[in-house]
Amino acid sequence: MSVEFDCCSFFKAVADANRVKIMLLLARGEMSVSAICKHFKMKQPSISHHLGVLKSAKVVECRKEGKEVFYRLNQCCVSSRCSDFMQRFAEKTGKGAAGD
Amino acid sequence: MSVEFDCCSFFKAVADANRVKIMLLLARGEMSVSAICKHFKMKQPSISHHLGVLKSAKVVECRKEGKEVFYRLNQCCVSSRCSDFMQRFAEKTGKGAAGD
DNA sequence: ATAACATATAGACTAATGTCTATATTATAA
DNA sequence: TTATAATATAGACATTAGTCTATATGTTAT
């Protein structure tokens, strides 16, 4: 029933080119915020903002080590959300499923 | 190289609860605009706007019949975009892929 | 305790998005 | 041709989202 809203927080998170770029960086392994910053023209608070959006959507996770925070991709989240979504729109053979 | 931007137009399109609801309706088969409208509180121009966004992203297609326009889900688009995206973030075994 | 560094938060500003009303467009009917 | 119905477009308005500067928080070193 609230499936649409649930998937939307994920899709909103990945519907930004800069956030996708962050995700692509993290797909190779965890990185600290400052390391991520080096790949962008944006200022650090903007990066932190994007990381916050990704984290709220469970797309990334983080751990603290000393003064640094290392972010990593939650690959399971990405694939489960995508495959869930795909399935929801798979061709039905006759019987409907979702209600109004 | 422009993969992120490309996928973003799709994700932007599906990152809205009302548009996902439209997609769920269309997953059962094609519908005219006025038929879609009956499922929402929004006014018709808003529905047309959302249909336009979905159409630009290739998520839906339409055909005209008399004064009505029937929209249908482009199921292939949904699944190919989702699986492309998943794959892009699949665990790499060592070699990197996407460049900066 | 103080300084220096890494990150997060707050608040301002701008741009993009969603919704509305009004109207234009296109197709059929009278 | 005129009227009616279905859809799209234009423009106004409010809300949301992205980026910035300034600053707060937390951690390590001196």
Side-chain angles (χ1 to χ4, degrees):
Chain A
M1 190 196 280
S2 64
V3 178
E4 309 87 22
F5 299 89
D6 191 47
C7 76
C8 284
S9 79
F10 170 75
F11 287 131
K12 275 187 208 298
V14 302
D16 177 274
N18 284 321
R19 288 195 287 267
V20 172
K21 189 174 167 186
I22 291 175
M23 290 169 69
L24 287 167
L25 288 172
L26 298 182
R28 274 95 155 269
E30 65 173 19
M31 286 178 83
S32 69
V33 177
S34 51
I36 295 170
C37 284
K38 288 182 185 126
H39 294 262
F40 291 88
K41 295 174 204 154
M42 270 185 301
K43 295 304 173 64
Q44 173 268 318
S46 300
I47 298 287
S48 280
H49 168 253
H50 288 305
L51 288 169
V53 172
L54 291 171
K55 196 178 168 197
S56 301
K58 306 275 171 60
V59 173
V60 301
E61 294 165 336
C62 64
R63 76 183 168 84
K64 199 162 185 182
E65 186 180 304
K67 0 180 194 186
E68 293 174 285
V69 178
F70 289 89
Y71 282 82
R72 64 180 173 280
L73 189 66
N74 183 356
Q75 203 263 329
C76 294
C77 171
V78 176
S79 47
S80 69
R81 295 308 191 98
C82 286
S83 49
D84 273 14
F85 194 71
M86 280 172 64
Q87 276 207 330
R88 215 166 297 291
F89 296 104
E91 241 120 17
K92 310 287 194 308
T93 31
K95 314 309 174 80
D100 174 28
Chain B
M1 191 197 278
S2 62
V3 178
E4 310 85 21
F5 299 90
D6 191 48
C7 75
C8 284
S9 77
F10 170 74
F11 287 131
K12 276 185 207 299
V14 301
D16 177 274
N18 284 321
R19 288 195 287 268
V20 171
K21 190 175 166 186
I22 291 174
M23 291 169 70
L24 286 168
L25 288 172
L26 298 181
R28 274 93 155 268
E30 65 174 18
M31 285 177 86
S32 69
V33 177
S34 51
I36 296 169
C37 284
K38 289 183 185 123
H39 293 264
F40 291 88
K41 294 175 206 156
M42 269 185 300
K43 295 303 172 63
Q44 173 269 319
S46 301
I47 297 287
S48 280
H49 169 252
H50 287 306
L51 287 169
V53 172
L54 291 170
K55 197 179 167 195
S56 301
K58 307 274 171 60
V59 174
V60 302
E61 293 165 337
C62 64
R63 76 184 169 83
K64 200 164 185 180
E65 186 180 305
K67 358 180 193 185
E68 294 174 286
V69 178
F70 289 87
Y71 282 82
R72 64 179 172 282
L73 189 66
N74 183 354
Q75 204 263 330
C76 294
C77 171
V78 176
S79 48
S80 69
R81 295 310 190 95
C82 285
S83 50
D84 272 15
F85 194 72
M86 279 172 64
Q87 277 208 330
R88 215 166 296 291
F89 296 105
E91 241 120 18
K92 310 285 194 305
T93 32
K95 314 304 173 82
D100 174 25

